[in-house]
Amino acid sequence: MTATKSFSLFLCSALCLLLAACGPVEDTRPGQPVAHRQQAFKDILLSFEPMGIQLREQHYEAESFLKYAQELEQKEASPWAFFGPETDYPPSKSTPAVWEKPDAFAAERGGFETAVHQLLAAAESRELTQIQPAYQAVQEHCRSCHKAFRK
């Protein structure tokens, strides 16, 4: 084997080892606030997305939808406590604007919370004409906040 081939093989092997060592960044800080808020958002999505599937696929089931809306309302406040000072570090997907513009972030949060409460009220009515725009309002608040405050 030539020196060039040996060196190329060494470089490829080293690169493979380095890439294998790469993985998701873990939250190793005390209390793991970033990991907790990411999990809280995932839990919110587990209640929100099934409602969207019902609406998009036109398979609305009033009792199931109401159950998910109730779960969402119970979970909607859970991530916010984990946006404390000094929690903007990997694996955070938040932009510095969360801490630089706290009033704007609080307004987005408030809009989301209000929309979630309105979605629950619409789900309790069991009227699709009320539910669909209420679901879209929650979705729009998610998009708006992500556009301004998520990487």
Side-chain angles (χ1 to χ4, degrees), residues 6-56:
S6 294
F7 184 70
S8 295
L9 183 60
F10 169 75
L11 280 178
C12 286
S13 298
L15 182 61
C16 288
L17 284 172
L18 284 173
L19 290 175
C22 293
V25 177
E26 288 187 41
D27 185 356
T28 58
R29 305 270 176 110
Q32 297 182 307
V34 172
H36 285 299
R37 80 172 172 238
Q38 288 177 339
Q39 186 59 53
F41 281 120
K42 288 177 186 176
D43 290 343
I44 285 172
L45 193 59
L46 290 174
S47 296
F48 187 64
E49 185 56 23
M51 290 186 283
I53 291 170
Q54 285 188 30
L55 296 177
R56 284 189 302 275

Side-chain angles (χ1 to χ4, degrees), residues 41 44 71-80 109 112-114 116-117:
F41 281 120
I44 285 172
E71 287 177 8
L72 179 62
E73 200 239 2
Q74 291 171 357
K75 297 173 182 179
E76 57 90 8
S78 58
W80 312 118
R109 172 187 170 183
F112 171 74
E113 291 171 345
T114 298
V116 168
H117 296 298

Side-chain angles (χ1 to χ4, degrees), residues 66 70 119-127 131:
L66 178 59
Q70 290 167 336
L119 177 59
L120 177 57
E124 289 170 341
S125 78
R126 293 168 173 77
E127 294 292 329
I131 290 169

